[in-house]
Amino acid sequence: MAIQRHKGLADDVYEAIFNKLISLEITPGARITVDGLVRELEVSHTPIREALGRLEGEGLVVKTHLFGYSAAPQITRRRFDELYELRLLLEPDGARRAARQTSKKQLTKLKDAAGRMSKLGSSRERQGYSGFARLDADFHDQIMEIAGNELIRDTLAHLHTHFHIFRLMYHARVTEEALSEHKELLTALSAGREAEAERAMRRHIERSRERLLVAFE
Ligand SMILES: [Zn+2]
């Protein structure tokens, strides 16, 4: 797929490689050559190197001395368990705090993200899957932003949890079920019901864990 040249070229190149990584078109651990991407995307080396550097910062690409770039390996079962344990400690509490103080503007933004996710969730395309992963990451980040503890928000953001868990497998169930769980969460946040928001977030994370756990079987 060739990329058209215009102002947002660097972003488009980044997005194209990101899609390949999340949708497993580039499999975990696979070698990535700059020349291969130059040919495939029909762009110069510069935006490719720039994109790979950015993806390296997000933990999706690994650069090894003399070997070059490769897709990051799949997270281990242990890392998976640790990520979910951490999320369960921080996010339900964050949702409870957010329910106390979500403004109308913030709620509109959250609903907008959820709406865009439901459009992507029904698409059967792999591009939709990586778009869903990014929107889900944004959705959860927005809630932590409303909750108000910057350190907790940064800690979760720097782990890039959503990118790693969506890369475990490519399956429509992952997106479809999450949509109704997000809806429950939004209902609790709009009504300002703290305990309900906390419960909805806990349920969402526990179910997400169950959906993806099969990737290790
Ligand atoms: Zn979610």
Side-chain angles (χ1 to χ4, degrees):
M1 181 195 61
I3 285 177
Q4 300 301 313
R5 276 162 192 77
H6 58 87
K7 222 171 113 217
L9 178 69
D11 285 338
D12 288 353
V13 169
Y14 162 82
E15 208 59 49
I17 306 170
F18 175 82
N19 285 341
K20 288 174 189 294
L21 289 162
I22 301 289
S23 68
L24 302 176
E25 193 187 319
I26 300 176
T27 54
R31 189 168 186 185
I32 302 171
T33 67
V34 174
D35 286 337
L37 287 169
V38 162
R39 273 193 303 275
E40 193 185 337
L41 302 175
E42 294 175 27
V43 293
S44 67
H45 286 71
T46 311
I48 304 272
R49 289 192 190 282
E50 218 176 280
L52 290 173
R54 202 166 147 193
L55 290 160
E56 190 187 0
E58 292 175 343
L60 285 169
V61 160
V62 182
K63 192 180 179 189
T64 318
H65 183 55
L66 298 177
F67 182 76
Y69 294 101
S70 51
Q74 199 72 281
I75 54 167
T76 60
R77 173 65 197 273
R78 178 176 177 163
R79 182 71 170 172
F80 176 85
D81 287 341
E82 289 173 353
L83 278 175
Y84 273 89
E85 196 181 337
L86 185 70
R87 289 190 71 189
L88 283 167
L89 282 172
L90 302 176
E91 290 191 61
D93 185 63
R96 183 176 56 78
R97 291 182 197 214
R100 270 184 220 156
Q101 55 203 25
T102 312
S103 70
K104 275 216 168 79
K105 201 175 153 199
Q106 288 165 328
L107 204 59
T108 309
K109 217 175 134 198
L110 273 172
K111 282 182 177 162
D112 176 61
R116 279 188 289 153
M117 262 184 268
S118 63
K119 272 184 208 131
L120 285 175
S122 55
S123 92
R124 287 280 174 269
E125 286 170 21
R126 283 185 171 241
Q127 282 220 346
Y129 191 76
S130 58
F132 192 95
R134 188 180 292 286
L135 281 168
D136 195 30
D138 285 348
F139 182 83
H140 286 264
D141 179 61
Q142 278 180 46
I143 293 173
M144 297 316 288
E145 184 184 11
I146 300 164
N149 185 320
E150 277 301 314
L151 186 61
I152 292 178
R153 183 189 174 198
D154 286 350
T155 301
L156 286 165
H158 285 140
L159 290 169
H160 301 290
T161 311
H162 293 80
F163 298 169
H164 293 294
I165 58 177
F166 274 82
R167 222 164 53 110
L168 282 170
M169 62 177 190
Y170 171 66
H171 199 295
R173 225 190 108 199
V174 175
T175 54
E176 280 160 13
E177 293 183 5
L179 292 172
S180 64
E181 292 157 18
H182 284 169
K183 219 170 160 186
E184 283 171 28
L185 193 52
L186 279 173
T187 306
L189 289 175
S190 334
R193 290 195 284 265
E194 296 175 33
E196 194 182 311
E198 182 175 355
R199 259 197 315 274
M201 182 65 95
R202 177 165 295 114
R203 229 174 7 237
H204 173 46
I205 297 172
E206 282 169 350
R207 284 182 187 160
S208 158
R209 184 178 180 278
E210 281 164 30
R211 282 193 288 273
L212 291 161
L213 202 53
V214 295
F216 294 101
E217 282 168 3

